[in-house]
């Protein structure tokens, strides 16, 4: 059984294509049912976010499934796609086997995201998986794969610093404020002007504990409205000099083409604050705070370019952490791949055991029938036990070898040879048609997967 | 036997210092974990060395300069371990451990024989006076380190250079608080140490105060820190100014505790 994945994302398709091929949540159930109704697809899952649409399935026939999934995606377009199918496929990526596993792990760990390390994708992937589970479109393999993807994302998050440090301009101000003031609870922020970005920065600050929001604006009514949004206070624009002393953080964003806050005003504020530090963020272009202010003791001034450089520095840090994450992922892909390959051997093992058991049963029954009433119940039990022990001992070593060889590069060849040796075609086909495959744990060594028969048939329950 | 543990401790503190300096300049957090483990092990050996010396000499190991340096170093590490548990500022170790190692290694430069205290000096005031004074000195050392870290972080923030240190150093507010806390703890300890010394002097020599160089510089240091606390409470000498003052104060502590001891004559001259 193979894992295949077809999709498009922000790297391969522009937004006008992505938005047309996204799956609305209300129709996801319908599409999942259609997907697994195909004879090509055994299990299926659809991940649809604003930046990516991906369909992941399991199949026996990789090339045909690629074609089918491409067509399936194309036909799911919410409106007229306005591009021919041949052009649409240029925006797609196709992964199978190890590459598909690796891609899913990279997606869940946010290495494939527009902003590397942003944590939302992990939750979106979990939702997609839950949705597929509710709609019973996944089975043994995809269940294991996506559970693993969620745990890999968690491992990456805890073992690297990929999600640390702000990578948006408005959030960078919060990070800097924390480096200056530590805990932000009880701090006061003064918004000078009512620009969108300063409002966003203020919102981040409030979410991080800032207690009081003061708003001042040339248009006082606008200041009153904005202050109301933050449950804060509006102050008169003419009182800016006096109000500066009250603020720990000042966010300035106005359209004024000159410095609204100069060195003398900040000097005055710092003196009144008895040297308690003050953090000024100037988001305005042209700037509204005199850059000379930064040379004052206990005053920290950042303009839009400075914030941008913070973001860039943080992004660089994330990229370095992403390298560590890639190592974790390649390790986990190997574990998952070993598990998948070990699944190939399960029908063969079941078939061997069933065949040998059938031979044993036939021969024991023949013998017992020959003896008729001369043989007691205890003796029948002894013969049963003896014959079972003999076949168990004979099969033990070959089956162990088979299991350990199954995930090697020549594994398929070993399985084929075994099938020929035991003449298993008929039995195995029966087993596959019953879909009774084993569930060895992806982290378990092949040696520990001792009794595949006892764990078989679980996939049917998951269907 | 205490010499053996003493030497082992120097070696361990050296290894800890190396690990902490690696941590200071690299991105690997694991260096700080190694360093902390090594430091804790060193502290254990150091404690054993001091206990053995106390048993062998029959009095607290504070009767001469090497003993003072060793005890000073031990108290610094103890304070650091407490702060590490409380605040988890790993980078603090990169400043404290090299200093503690330096103090202990300096102690090794002096003769190590155990000195018997003169009978008239052998009183319980000896332990109280010296212990309080050393603990006060250690608190001022912490204030110095916090001040140093404050200035580095402040410079990084002002210059908008986001090096590894920017991420490792804590917030300015925490460093300023640590500075304030250390001075607030160190000042009463030193004051009580001076008072205990005065009572002891009165017992031994019949006079509370003698104008010897050590006492003069101790008084200057004490007045300096008094001024610093006053300035912080009334004028707002905090943040950058407080950081500079803590650094200057520490210079005074080193001079008063150790250099005057070597250079001047008087009852505090131990070597």
């Amino acid at each position: 059984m193979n894992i295949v994945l077809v999709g498009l994302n922000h790297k391969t398709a522009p937004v006008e294509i992505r938005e047309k091929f996204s799956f609305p949540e209300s129709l996801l159930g319908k599409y999942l049912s259609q997907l697994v109704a195909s004879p090509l697809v055994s299990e299926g899952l659809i991940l649809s976010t604003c930046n990516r649409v991906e369909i992941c399935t399991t199949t026996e026939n990789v090339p045909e499934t690629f074609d089918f999934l491409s067509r399936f995606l194309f036909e799911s377009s919410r409106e007229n796609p306005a591009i021919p199918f041949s052009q649409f496929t240029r925006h797609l990526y196709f992964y199978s086997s190890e590459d598909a596993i690796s891609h899913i792990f990279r997606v869940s760990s946010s290495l494939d995201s527009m902003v590397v390390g942003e944590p939302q994708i992990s939750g979106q992937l979990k939702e997609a998986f839950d949705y597929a589970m509710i709609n019973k479109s996944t089975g043994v393999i995809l269940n294991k794969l996506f559970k693993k993807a969620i745990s890999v994302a968690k491992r990456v998050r805890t073992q690297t610093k990929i999600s640390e440090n702000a990578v948006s301009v408005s959030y960078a101000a919060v990070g800097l404020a924390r480096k200056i003031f530590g805990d932000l609870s009880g701090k006061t922020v003064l918004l000078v002007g009512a620009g969108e970005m300063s409002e966003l920065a203020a919102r981040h600050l409030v979410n991080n504990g800032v207690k009081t929001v003061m708003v001042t604006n040339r248009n006082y009514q606008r200041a009153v409205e904005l202050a109301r949004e933050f449950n804060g206070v509006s102050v008169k624009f003419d009182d800016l000099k006096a109000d500066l002393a009250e603020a720990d953080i000042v966010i300035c964003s106005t359209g004024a083409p000159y410095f609204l806050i100069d060195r003398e005003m900040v000097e005055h504020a710092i003196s009144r604050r008895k040297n308690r530090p003050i953090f000024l963020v100037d988001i305005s272009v042209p700037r509204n705070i005199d850059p000379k202010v930064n040379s004052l003791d206990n005053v920290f001034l950042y303009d839009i370019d400075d914030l941008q450089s913070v973001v860039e520095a943080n992004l660089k840090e994330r990229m370095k952490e992403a390298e560590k994450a890639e190592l974790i992922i390649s390790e986990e892909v190997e574990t998952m791949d070993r598990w998948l390959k070990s699944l190939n051997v399960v029908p063969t093992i079941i078939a061997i055991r069933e065949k040998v058991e059938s031979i044993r049963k036939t021969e024991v029954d023949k013998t017992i029938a020959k003896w008729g009433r001369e043989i007691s119940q205890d003796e029948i039990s002894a013969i049963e036990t003896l014959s079972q022990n003999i076949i168990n001992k004979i099969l033990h070593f070959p089956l162990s070898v088979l299991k350990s060889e199954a995930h090697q590069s020549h594994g398929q060849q070993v399985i084929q040879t075994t099938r020929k040796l035991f003449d298993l075609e008929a039995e195995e086909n029966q087993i596959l048609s019953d879909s009774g495959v084993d569930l060895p744990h992806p982290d378990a060594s092949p040696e520990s997967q001792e009794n595949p028969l006892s764990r078989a048939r679980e996939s049917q329950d998951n269907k | 036997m205490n010499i053996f543990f003493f030497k082992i401790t120097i070696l361990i503190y050296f290894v800890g210092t190396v690990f902490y300096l690696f941590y200071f300049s690299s991105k690997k957090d694991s260096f700080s974990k190694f360093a902390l483990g090594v430091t804790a092990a060193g502290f254990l050996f150091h404690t054993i060395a001091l206990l053995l010396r106390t048993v062998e000499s029959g009095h607290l190991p504070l009767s001469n300069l090497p003993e003072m340096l060793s005890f000073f170093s031990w108290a610094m590490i103890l304070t650091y371990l407490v702060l590490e548990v409380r605040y988890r500022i790993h980078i603090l170790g990169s400043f404290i451990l090299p200093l503690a190692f330096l103090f202990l290694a300096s102690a090794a430069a002096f003769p190590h024989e155990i000195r018997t205290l003169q009978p008239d000096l052998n009183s319980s005031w000896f332990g109280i006076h010296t212990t309080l004074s050393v603990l006060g000195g250690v608190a001022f050392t912490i204030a110095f380190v916090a001040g140093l870290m404050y200035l580095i972080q402040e410079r990084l923030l002002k210059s908008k250079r986001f090096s590894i240190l920017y991420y490792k150093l804590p917030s300015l507010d925490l460093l300023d608080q640590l500075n304030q806390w250390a001075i607030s703890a160190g000042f009463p300890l030193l004051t009580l140490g001076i008072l205990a010394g005065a009572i002891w002097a009165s017992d031994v020599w019949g006079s509370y105060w003698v104008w010897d160089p050590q006492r003069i510089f101790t008084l200057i240091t004490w007045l300096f820190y008094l001024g610093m606390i006053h300035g912080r409470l009334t004028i707002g000498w905090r943040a950058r100014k407080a950081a500079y003052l803590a650094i200057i104060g520490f210079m005074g502590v080193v001079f008063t505790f150790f250099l005057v001891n070597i250079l001047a004559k008087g009852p505090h001259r131990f070597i």
Side-chain angles (χ1 to χ4, degrees):
Chain A
M1 194 64 71
N2 255 300
I3 295 170
V4 297
L5 185 141
V6 173
L8 51 89
N9 65 14
H10 55 281
K11 292 176 192 164
T12 63
V15 67
E16 58 268 24
I17 297 287
R18 297 203 301 272
E19 66 194 5
K20 277 181 184 145
F21 294 97
S22 65
F23 291 85
E25 202 181 303
S26 55
L27 297 175
L28 211 50
K30 185 190 93 178
Y31 281 113
L32 283 169
S33 306
Q34 279 179 13
L35 186 66
V36 289
S38 162
L40 281 169
V41 172
S42 320
E43 304 175 31
L45 182 143
I46 297 172
L47 172 67
S48 179
T49 73
C50 54
N51 277 337
R52 69 178 66 243
V53 183
E54 295 184 348
I55 306 179
C56 182
T57 66
T58 55
T59 184
E60 289 288 357
N61 190 331
V62 176
E64 273 187 41
T65 308
F66 275 151
D67 291 342
F68 166 72
L69 293 180
S70 312
R71 184 62 68 179
F72 184 87
L73 245 177
F74 185 73
E75 283 165 6
S76 70
S77 169
R78 279 203 268 168
E79 49 195 280
N80 181 5
I83 54 165
F85 180 68
S86 58
Q87 261 185 47
F88 167 70
T89 52
R90 272 193 262 156
H91 296 292
L92 298 178
Y93 42 83
F94 302 87
Y95 294 112
S96 69
S97 309
E98 256 181 85
D99 295 337
I101 299 170
S102 174
H103 176 76
I104 289 161
F105 288 179
R106 291 186 80 254
V107 168
S108 71
S109 309
S110 183
L111 293 181
D112 198 50
S113 298
M114 193 180 264
V115 180
V116 169
E118 54 94 13
Q120 291 93 324
I121 186 66
S122 179
Q124 289 167 331
L125 187 124
K126 194 172 176 303
E127 268 174 36
F129 178 45
D130 288 345
Y131 226 89
M133 292 272 277
I134 292 165
N135 287 282
K136 297 187 166 64
S137 68
T138 56
V140 181
I141 295 174
L142 290 194
N143 284 349
K144 196 63 76 181
L145 177 66
F146 281 90
K147 276 181 194 165
K148 192 82 181 157
I150 292 160
S151 76
V152 168
K154 195 175 171 192
R155 194 180 155 199
V156 165
R157 221 170 28 247
T158 51
Q159 293 185 6
T160 72
K161 291 175 183 165
I162 200 158
S163 298
E164 274 184 23
N165 302 313
V167 287
S168 74
V169 166
S170 55
Y171 207 79
V174 178
L176 286 162
R178 279 182 179 281
K179 275 289 175 194
I180 295 166
F181 300 110
D183 184 10
L184 296 181
S185 57
K187 298 290 175 233
T188 297
V189 59
L190 169 65
L191 297 186
V192 182
E196 198 181 318
M197 206 187 276
S198 66
E199 191 184 328
L200 194 60
R203 213 168 284 283
H204 285 317
L205 286 166
V206 169
N207 289 341
N208 279 273
V210 162
K211 192 180 162 198
T212 313
V213 179
M214 292 158 62
V215 186
T216 187
N217 197 40
R218 276 202 196 281
N219 176 348
Y220 186 67
Q221 191 49 38
R222 176 76 186 107
V224 171
E225 283 164 20
L226 191 57
R228 198 177 297 135
E229 274 183 46
F230 287 108
N231 233 352
V233 287
S234 51
V235 289
K236 291 271 164 44
F237 197 77
D238 295 340
D239 297 337
L240 181 58
K241 186 175 174 181
D243 292 328
L244 271 183
E246 304 299 317
D248 301 294
I249 302 160
V250 178
I251 300 175
C252 192
S253 170
T254 81
Y258 51 86
F259 295 147
L260 284 173
I261 298 173
D262 58 26
R263 193 184 154 97
E264 187 265 324
M265 285 166 82
V266 180
E267 228 165 0
H268 170 79
I270 276 291
S271 161
R272 282 190 53 199
R273 289 171 61 79
K274 286 192 174 172
N275 287 321
R276 273 182 295 127
I278 185 164
F279 175 39
L280 300 135
V281 182
D282 187 359
I283 306 176
S284 333
V285 180
R287 288 176 295 178
N288 287 165
I289 304 177
D290 186 350
K292 285 181 200 145
V293 158
N294 195 45
S295 61
L296 292 170
D297 277 359
N298 307 313
V299 176
F300 302 89
L301 169 66
Y302 279 72
D303 62 30
I304 187 79
D305 284 356
D306 297 330
L307 292 179
Q308 194 56 48
S309 70
V310 175
V311 168
E312 275 160 24
N314 289 350
L315 270 173
K316 257 189 216 164
E317 288 301 306
R318 283 198 177 193
M319 294 322 286
K320 283 177 193 162
E321 292 302 307
E323 286 170 21
K324 289 184 203 166
E326 294 283 6
L327 290 177
I328 292 173
I329 285 170
S330 59
E331 201 180 285
E332 297 283 5
V333 168
E334 202 185 314
T335 313
M336 186 71 205
D337 192 50
R338 278 178 63 159
W339 176 78
L340 257 184
K341 282 180 177 155
S342 74
L343 275 186
N344 292 341
V345 80
V346 172
T348 308
I349 290 173
I350 296 172
I352 292 172
R353 283 202 171 271
E354 286 189 351
K355 182 154 198 161
V356 174
E357 172 62 14
S358 146
I359 295 168
R360 183 196 70 81
K361 191 107 182 64
T362 313
E363 294 306 315
V364 167
D365 288 350
K366 256 199 261 173
T367 309
I368 292 168
K370 212 185 281 172
W371 282 338
R373 285 184 188 167
E374 291 168 33
I375 189 161
S376 69
Q377 198 54 47
D378 285 349
E379 284 164 331
I380 292 172
S381 297
I383 292 169
E384 290 275 358
T385 310
L386 172 75
S387 59
Q388 267 164 358
N389 286 346
I390 290 170
I391 66 158
N392 281 345
K393 294 225 161 160
I394 290 172
L395 286 181
H396 175 75
F397 187 70
L399 292 187
S400 299
V401 172
L402 189 59
K403 277 185 269 181
S404 64
E405 295 292 314
H407 54 76
Q408 305 293 335
S409 54
H410 58 281
Q412 207 52 40
Q413 207 180 327
V414 174
I415 293 169
Q416 290 297 342
T417 312
T418 311
R419 283 173 184 165
K420 272 188 190 157
L421 281 174
F422 284 86
D423 186 23
L424 293 177
E425 277 312 301
E427 285 82 356
E428 237 178 273
N429 288 340
Q430 182 60 43
I431 289 163
L432 282 172
S433 70
D434 290 348
S435 293
V437 282
D438 194 340
L439 274 175
H441 191 276
D443 293 327
S445 65
E447 290 71 23
S448 69
Q449 297 160 13
E450 263 311 306
N451 188 358
L453 274 173
S454 67
R455 290 194 296 259
R457 325 246 177 248
E458 200 169 324
S459 67
Q460 200 59 40
D461 303 335
N462 287 310
K463 275 262 179 186
Chain B
M1 192 61 185
N2 74 80
I3 304 295
F4 169 75
F5 281 100
F6 176 75
K7 284 180 179 167
I8 293 265
T9 307
I10 294 179
L11 187 69
I12 296 175
Y13 282 173
F14 173 73
V15 175
T17 298
V18 171
F19 273 123
Y20 269 123
L21 293 179
F22 278 146
Y23 173 66
F24 183 85
S25 54
S26 87
K27 296 195 82 65
K28 285 195 175 169
D29 285 346
S30 51
F31 281 130
S32 77
K33 284 179 193 157
F34 284 127
L36 182 62
V38 168
T39 306
F43 178 73
L44 191 71
F45 279 93
H46 203 166
T47 309
I48 295 169
L50 290 177
L51 285 173
L52 286 174
R53 193 159 178 101
T54 306
V55 171
E56 285 169 31
S57 66
H59 57 77
L60 282 177
L62 287 159
S63 66
N64 57 27
L65 190 59
E67 286 184 348
M68 283 275 280
L69 285 163
S70 175
F71 188 73
F72 202 97
S73 164
W74 177 84
M76 268 174 71
I77 298 289
L78 174 65
T79 314
Y80 164 63
L81 291 174
V82 171
L83 289 173
E84 174 69 41
V85 171
R86 173 76 179 80
Y87 294 105
R88 307 249 167 227
I89 315 170
H90 307 319
I91 195 79
L92 195 60
S94 301
F95 291 81
I96 297 277
L97 209 69
L99 273 176
F101 167 70
L102 209 67
F103 281 130
L104 199 63
S106 310
F110 296 97
H112 240 80
E113 80 275 11
I114 289 173
R115 182 184 292 183
T116 315
L117 274 184
Q118 291 167 26
D120 55 343
L121 291 178
N122 199 356
S123 98
S124 53
W125 288 111
F126 160 70
I128 297 169
H129 165 65
T130 48
T131 307
L132 288 171
S133 305
V134 167
L135 291 180
V138 167
F140 294 141
T141 309
I142 300 293
F144 156 74
V145 167
L148 206 59
M149 286 163 75
Y150 184 98
L151 292 178
I152 295 170
Q153 183 67 301
E154 192 220 26
R155 181 172 277 262
L156 292 170
L157 276 160
K158 282 259 190 194
S159 62
K160 290 128 192 179
R161 280 207 322 267
F162 305 102
S163 63
I164 310 164
L165 265 183
Y166 165 79
Y167 294 99
K168 285 182 181 171
L169 286 167
S171 69
L172 292 179
D173 184 65
L174 180 61
L175 292 169
D176 191 43
Q177 276 183 41
L178 188 61
N179 183 349
Q180 185 187 4
W181 169 85
I183 303 283
S184 310
F187 185 72
L189 285 167
L190 182 66
T191 308
L192 290 172
I194 292 170
L195 287 175
I199 295 167
W200 185 26
S202 161
D203 275 0
V204 179
W205 297 297
S207 162
Y208 287 105
W209 191 262
V210 179
W211 291 101
D212 68 68
Q214 176 94 29
R215 286 187 174 99
I216 291 166
F217 282 107
T218 302
L219 186 64
I220 292 169
T221 305
W222 184 83
L223 285 170
F224 177 85
Y225 281 109
L226 177 68
M228 199 175 156
I229 289 171
H230 175 74
R232 182 162 200 128
L233 293 174
T234 58
I235 312 167
W237 285 356
R238 55 164 58 87
R240 190 164 199 242
K241 190 166 271 177
Y244 274 123
L245 289 173
I247 292 168
I248 296 167
F250 176 71
M251 303 301 164
V253 170
V254 172
F255 187 75
T256 308
F257 266 72
F258 307 114
L259 294 180
V260 173
N261 214 307
I262 296 167
L263 301 172
K265 287 184 176 172
H268 279 96
R269 188 176 159 82
F270 293 129
I271 56 168

